[in-house]
């Protein structure tokens, strides 16, 4: 979460038996939007990784990359 989302979410959090739970009804929508943003970023990164894998697989053999 970015700091703006945390600032919005934090006052709406409550504790229930040691677990954090949403305390404001509108919190679910904020969290769903942020979750979708993260899911999109993950998909984009996976696509970029797959493209890199394809390029690496097609490259002529050379020294192994570091790491």
């Amino acid at each position: 979460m970015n700091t703006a989302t945390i600032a919005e979410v934090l006052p709406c959090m409550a504790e229930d038996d040691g677990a954090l739970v949403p305390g404001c009804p509108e919190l679910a929508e904020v969290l769903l939007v942020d979750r979708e943003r993260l899911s999109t970023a993950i998909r984009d990164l996976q696509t970029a990784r797959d493209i890199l894998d394809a390029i690496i697989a097609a490259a002529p053999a050379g020294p192994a990359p570091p790491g």
Side-chain angles (χ1 to χ4, degrees), residues 3-22:
T3 54
T5 302
I6 292 169
E8 188 175 349
V9 166
L10 198 54
C12 287
M13 295 305 295
E15 189 175 338
D16 181 23
D17 225 6
L20 288 176
V21 295

Side-chain angles (χ1 to χ4, degrees), residues 25-49:
E26 67 276 6
L27 183 58
E29 182 61 32
V30 171
L31 295 175
L32 285 170
V33 168
D34 203 51
R35 184 180 190 286
E36 183 54 36
R37 180 189 62 77
L38 289 171
S39 294
T40 298
I42 289 167
R43 283 191 300 273
D44 291 347
L45 287 169
Q46 287 173 328
T47 297
R49 184 190 58 202

